[in-house]
């Protein structure tokens, strides 16, 4: 009985000291605050509203959650807009593209690893007993209770935390990088969309002028004032412009599909027409 009391006394002493040791580890190594990457491209170039743009010096828990929206039947993506703007397009791309949401989730998951890798492992408890010793007159009752705790070498928890923070910082930078790539792709697709639309307008104006020229050449030919070659040349130019129009229509469908793909929408979704004129950017200092 004295042996059993000695074993139980040491076990309770060890068990009572474990919580204080774990608390001391958490108190000495506090989790450094992770920050959200600042907006890329300035406040006017990114196209993000103030409600959806992450602010600098904000912890990862306060970072805005990037939601991916799906288009419903008959849903207007740009309500009240008669012309598509690059700012509205960028905002829709950043809100609907699933890649940004996936990268943000990966960053948050990497940030959550810091308290896990810097904490002590769970303590282990065990017990053994000798059933044949129960009620025996020859030997004492055999029973043993064990408690163990793995303690890493000095400095290993700190190094693990630094590695976790470095991985979280890398994931944060990847979020900023994918945002920049999406903004670049959206701007490129928008300006291609604008260029094709202006080219189609020029093509229509050219066809209108060529038809007038052909009518004039036909009248002059009928009046024997010009050779038939002028009339045939006008027909050739009209045919080339019609062929050019087919190419431009195909290019417009391609640019629309690129824009809809960036917004995670069907390629044939309707889009507002691009503006007739663009405001030129200011010259750099």
């Amino acid at each position: 009985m004295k042996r059993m009391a000695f074993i139980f006394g040491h076990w309770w002493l060890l068990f009572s000291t474990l919580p204080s040791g774990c608390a001391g580890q958490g108190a000495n190594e506090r989790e450094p605050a992770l920050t959200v990457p600042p907006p890329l491209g300035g406040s006017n170039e990114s196209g993000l509203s103030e409600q959806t743009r992450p602010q600098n010096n904000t912890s990862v828990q306060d970072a805005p959650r990037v939601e991916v929206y799906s288009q419903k039947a008959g849903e207007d993506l740009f309500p009240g807009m008669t012309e598509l703007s690059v700012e509205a397009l960028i905002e829709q791309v950043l809100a609907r593209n699933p890649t940004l949401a996936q990268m943000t989730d990966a960053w948050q998951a990497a940030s959550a690893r810091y308290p896990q890798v810097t904490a002590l492992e769970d303590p282990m408890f065990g017990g053994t007993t000798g059933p044949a010793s129960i009620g025996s007159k020859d030997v004492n009752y055999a029973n043993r209770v064990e408690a163990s705790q793995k303690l890493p070498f000095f400095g290993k928890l700190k190094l693990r935390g630094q590695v976790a923070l470095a991985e979280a910082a890398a994931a944060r930078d990847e979020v900023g990088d994918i945002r920049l790539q999406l903004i670049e792709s959206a701007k490129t697709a928008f300006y291609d969309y604008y260029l094709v639309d202006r080219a189609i307008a020029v093509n229509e104006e050219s066809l209108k002028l060529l038809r007038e020229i052909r009518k004039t050449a036909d009248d002059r030919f009928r009046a024997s004032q010009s050779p038939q070659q002028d009339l045939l040349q006008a027909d050739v130019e009209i045919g080339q412009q019609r062929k050019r129009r087919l190419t431009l229509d195909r290019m417009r469908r391609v640019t629309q599909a690129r824009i809809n793909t960036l917004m995670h929408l069907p390629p044939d979704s309707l889009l507002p027409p691009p503006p007739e004129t663009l405001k030129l950017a200011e010259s750099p200092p």
Side-chain angles (χ1 to χ4, degrees):
M1 297 300 294
K2 292 182 179 181
R3 181 181 178 185
M4 292 176 57
F6 177 78
I7 294 176
F8 276 104
H10 279 270
W11 175 72
W12 282 112
L13 179 61
L14 178 61
F15 180 75
S16 62
T17 57
L18 287 179
S20 60
C22 295
Q25 178 68 22
N28 294 332
E29 297 184 7
R30 296 184 178 179
E31 178 181 357
L34 296 177
T35 57
V36 177
L40 301 176
S43 58
N44 296 327
E45 295 180 359
S46 63
L48 279 175
S49 60
E50 292 298 332
Q51 290 78 7
T52 59
R53 181 185 294 111
Q55 301 295 332
N56 195 13
N57 297 329
T58 305
S59 63
V60 66
Q61 290 80 6
D62 300 332
R65 179 68 173 88
V66 179
E67 299 290 346
V68 180
Y69 303 94
S70 59
Q71 184 186 21
K72 300 178 181 179
E75 180 185 4
D76 188 6
L77 300 181
F78 306 95
M81 294 185 60
T82 58
E83 294 181 348
L84 183 63
S85 63
V86 63
E87 293 81 8
L89 177 60
I90 291 176
E91 184 175 359
Q92 291 293 334
V93 168
L94 295 180
R96 296 178 178 274
N97 195 283
T99 305
L100 185 60
Q102 295 172 2
M103 299 299 294
T104 303
D105 291 341
W107 168 35
Q108 294 177 351
S111 302
R113 292 190 65 249
Y114 179 84
Q116 300 174 4
V117 300
T118 55
L120 294 176
E121 297 185 13
D122 295 337
M124 303 294 294
F125 300 94
T128 58
T129 183
S133 64
I134 300 176
S136 176
K137 299 180 180 180
D138 300 329
V139 295
N140 295 329
Y141 173 61
N143 187 23
R144 183 175 65 179
V145 178
E146 297 179 351
S148 61
Q149 172 69 58
K150 289 185 178 181
L151 298 176
F153 192 74
F154 177 77
K156 290 190 67 175
L157 290 181
K158 183 178 180 180
L159 293 177
R160 292 175 183 173
Q162 292 176 355
V163 172
L165 291 179
E167 293 176 351
R172 177 196 61 191
D173 295 338
E174 289 180 357
V175 172
D177 182 67
I178 196 63
R179 287 184 66 254
L180 184 60
Q181 293 181 15
L182 288 175
I183 292 174
E184 178 187 7
S185 300
K187 286 186 176 182
T188 302
F190 172 80
Y191 291 124
D192 289 344
Y193 185 45
Y194 167 80
L195 180 62
V196 171
D197 185 78
R198 291 296 87 207
I200 290 176
V202 173
N203 181 267
E204 292 177 352
E205 185 67 21
S206 300
L207 279 175
K208 180 181 178 181
L209 295 176
L210 286 173
R211 290 190 181 99
E212 294 178 357
I213 292 174
R214 186 191 183 285
K215 184 178 182 304
T216 302
D218 183 63
D219 294 341
R220 291 176 61 85
F221 173 72
R222 292 178 182 277
S224 300
Q225 296 181 357
S226 63
Q228 189 180 8
Q229 181 180 359
D230 295 343
L231 180 61
L232 297 177
Q233 185 66 30
D235 290 337
V236 171
E237 294 293 337
I238 290 176
Q240 291 180 353
Q241 290 298 323
R242 289 176 177 174
K243 180 181 179 181
R244 174 65 176 168
R245 177 58 186 267
L246 295 176
T247 303
L248 293 175
D249 288 340
R250 183 174 66 251
M251 293 174 61
R252 180 168 60 181
R253 289 194 297 269
V254 171
T255 55
Q256 289 178 348
R258 287 175 55 194
I259 293 175
N260 289 322
T261 301
L262 288 173
M263 294 187 295
H264 199 56
L265 297 175
D268 56 349
S269 299
L270 297 179
L271 293 174
E276 295 183 358
T277 58
L278 290 179
K279 183 182 298 184
L280 298 178
E282 298 181 358
S283 301

